[in-house]
């Protein structure tokens, strides 16, 4: 699937960035709790897409990085000043040091992966998650 197709598909059917950011407000209580229990928490958003979740993380002052395999999504997110990397999720996780992140998220990604890839994603995420991470 070409990159432009999926980017345009998201814009047409998922909702505008502003709408998604509004929907993510349901996590505001969790974000506050994370900020209360972790000093300068760092976030990894796997499959960051257009960067709505990274935007929310930045609003809370968290150190966040997003990864996505879609070049168009990465380009769009970089134009917004977001910290993003164009990389395969499993490759990124395998090349990340253990206990590196306080919080790891992956919204709307597992439906794109095989069963074996999902297991690897979960196991590698557990490995790079800090003790008491989320």
């Amino acid at each position: 699937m070409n990159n432009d197709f999926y980017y345009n598909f998201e814009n047409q059917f998922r909702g505008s960035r502003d709408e998604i950011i509004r929907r993510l407000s349901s996590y505001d209580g969790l974000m506050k709790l994370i900020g209360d229990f972790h000093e300068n928490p760092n976030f990894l958003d796997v499959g960051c897409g257009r960067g709505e979740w990274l935007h929310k993380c930045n609003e809370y002052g968290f150190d966040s990085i997003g990864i996505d395999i879609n070049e168009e999504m990465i380009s769009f997110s970089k134009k917004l000043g977001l910290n993003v990397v164009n990389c395969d999720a499993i490759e990124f996780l395998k090349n990340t040091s253990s206990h590196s992140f306080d919080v790891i998220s992956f919204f709307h990604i597992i439906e794109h992966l095989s069963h074996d890839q999902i297991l690897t994603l979960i196991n590698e995420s557990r490995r790079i998650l800090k003790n008491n991470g989320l």
Side-chain angles (χ1 to χ4, degrees):
M1 180 177 344
N2 91 22
N3 288 324
D4 291 341
F5 173 82
Y6 195 73
Y7 176 77
N8 291 328
F9 179 86
E10 286 271 307
N11 286 334
Q12 179 69 33
F13 295 106
R14 184 164 187 239
S16 70
R17 268 189 101 255
D18 290 339
E19 174 60 25
I20 300 306
I21 290 169
R22 268 192 303 278
R23 288 181 198 166
L24 290 170
S25 293
S26 63
Y27 293 98
D28 285 349
L30 176 62
M31 300 296 273
K32 183 179 179 329
L33 188 66
I34 290 168
D36 290 345
F37 284 97
H38 294 277
E39 187 174 329
N40 302 317
N42 61 341
F43 274 67
L44 171 63
D45 186 23
V46 179
C48 63
R50 299 178 297 185
E52 295 96 346
W53 184 239
L54 293 175
H55 176 91
K56 289 291 288 184
C57 292
N58 290 345
E59 281 183 341
Y60 279 87
F62 302 153
D63 181 23
S64 56
I65 183 171
I67 59 172
D68 205 290
I69 199 165
N70 186 291
E71 293 172 11
E72 189 69 25
M73 300 285 193
I74 292 294
S75 177
F76 179 82
S77 295
K78 282 185 177 182
K79 288 177 186 171
L80 296 174
L82 299 171
N83 183 15
V84 292
V85 177
N86 185 354
C87 187
D88 174 79
I90 293 172
E91 178 184 324
F92 183 92
L93 296 172
K94 284 185 174 183
N95 289 306
T96 299
S97 299
S98 296
H99 311 291
S100 296
F101 288 95
D102 294 298
V103 180
I104 302 170
S105 59
F106 30 97
F107 293 99
H108 304 288
I109 185 174
I110 63 169
E111 64 268 25
H112 300 282
L113 303 175
S114 71
H115 179 73
D116 288 342
Q117 289 172 316
I118 293 168
L119 290 176
T120 302
L121 181 76
I122 292 169
N123 288 330
E124 287 297 318
S125 293
R126 290 181 70 201
R127 182 185 62 76
I128 69 169
L129 193 62
K130 291 181 182 176
N131 294 336
N132 299 318
L134 177 65

